[in-house]
Amino acid sequence: MDQLKTKKFGLTNNQLKIIAMVSMALDHIGLLFFPTADIFRILGRIAFPIFAYMIAEGCRYTKNRAKYLGMIGAMAVAFQVVYFVAMGSLYQGILVTFSLAIITIYSIDGILHAKKLWERFASAAAFAFVVVFVFVLPILLTETDFDIDYGIWGILLPVAVYFLPNHAWRVGGLAVLLLIRAIHYTLFPIGSLGLLQWFSLVTVPLLALYNGKRGRAKMKYVFYIFYPAHLVILYGIDILIALLK
């Protein structure tokens, strides 16, 4: 662990995730109910970089890697099944994105550091799975709406944060990737976001204040459950409003 762990002041893991959850909820409220109000989408740009950073932190400090991946992966699969049944969509949500990021982190780690040959082969196979999922499946499923939330950026950010050596490097690396991503979206706009991606850089000073501490309350499962739960509630309200019209 780096010197970050000794800081007495700053924002804890829990506090940053609460900020990210509020940001994400506002983003989805704006998307569903106020599509022309940019302020909701602007505030929503805070969520993804914070969650990406914390996914890397989870990979770094978890005592059970299999359990960590299994929990997020299982929730991702469950959510995608429900989403497909309800919406008929193959769009892959952020839990899938972060599951792929975790697999990428573990596989690169295994390729570089595994002591046994079979472990390196298994790691290489896992990495190949991510490559197929991200680059091959979209080509095979071009007639559908298959896509991965945040695309390759959603995978690269946690990976970069994980492999950088200390907090200063991690925040700096995240800032560089967010800057490149904002430029990319400006030059090649996707959907209605475009220039709004520049507001994701607001997370850089927030993460610079991260003190490396989890926080007093045990809120781990709250964060894992919040994503699917708030979407179910918001989509339920949206459906109810449509029925009442």
Side-chain angles (χ1 to χ4, degrees):
M1 297 185 184
D2 56 51
Q3 295 178 350
L4 176 64
K5 292 298 173 181
T6 65
K7 285 188 177 181
K8 294 182 179 180
F9 304 103
L11 296 172
T12 66
N13 186 302
N14 284 348
Q15 289 168 338
L16 283 166
K17 284 181 178 177
I18 289 170
I19 292 171
M21 287 193 299
V22 172
S23 167
M24 181 168 59
L26 289 173
D27 186 42
H28 292 151
I29 288 170
L31 181 64
L32 284 173
F33 305 115
F34 307 102
T36 61
D38 284 346
I39 185 61
F40 288 94
R41 309 311 307 279
I42 289 171
L43 293 172
R45 299 310 95 209
I46 295 173
F48 165 64
I50 292 177
F51 280 129
Y53 194 100
M54 293 310 166
I55 283 291
E57 287 288 279
C59 290
R60 183 176 294 108
Y61 297 117
T62 183
K63 295 179 181 178
N64 189 327
R65 284 188 161 193
K67 181 179 179 181
Y68 183 65
L69 173 58
M71 181 164 50
I72 296 177
M75 291 189 66
V77 171
F79 177 78
Q80 291 304 138
V81 170
V82 173
Y83 189 65
F84 178 76
V85 171
M87 309 296 292
S89 173
L90 291 178
Y91 188 83
Q92 306 297 298
I94 196 63
L95 290 175
V96 172
T97 308
F98 286 151
S99 296
L100 294 170
I102 295 170
I103 294 171
T104 303
I105 288 170
Y106 289 172
S107 61
I108 294 174
D109 224 4
I111 292 170
L112 295 176
H113 302 119
K115 296 180 180 179
K116 297 179 181 179
L117 186 60
W118 72 265
E119 292 176 335
R120 295 200 176 195
F121 276 118
S123 297
F127 186 81
F129 166 79
V130 174
V131 171
V132 170
F133 200 100
V134 174
F135 296 106
V136 178
L137 280 184
I139 297 173
L140 297 178
L141 299 173
T142 51
E143 301 300 320
T144 72
D145 66 344
F146 181 89
D147 200 2
I148 301 169
D149 205 12
Y150 285 97
I152 190 64
W153 296 106
I155 297 171
L156 284 179
L157 261 70
V159 172
V161 170
Y162 178 84
F163 285 103
L164 288 170
N166 56 48
H167 181 58
W169 275 95
R170 292 164 199 158
V171 174
L174 184 92
V176 170
L177 285 177
L178 288 177
L179 179 62
I180 295 172
R181 178 170 170 265
I183 294 171
H184 176 262
Y185 272 72
T186 301
L187 296 176
F188 307 99
I190 299 175
S192 60
L193 294 177
L195 294 173
L196 299 186
Q197 294 296 352
W198 287 92
F199 290 97
S200 65
L201 289 164
V202 171
T203 56
V204 174
L206 290 175
L207 286 167
L209 293 173
Y210 176 44
N211 63 13
K213 298 178 181 178
R214 178 175 295 178
R216 294 182 179 180
K218 294 182 179 180
M219 300 179 66
K220 179 173 67 172
Y221 295 105
V222 174
F223 301 133
Y224 294 146
I225 294 170
F226 179 80
Y227 174 71
H230 92 283
L231 285 179
V232 169
I233 292 170
L234 291 179
Y235 277 110
I237 293 172
D238 188 45
I239 292 170
L240 182 61
I241 291 173
L243 291 174
L244 292 176
K245 285 183 178 179

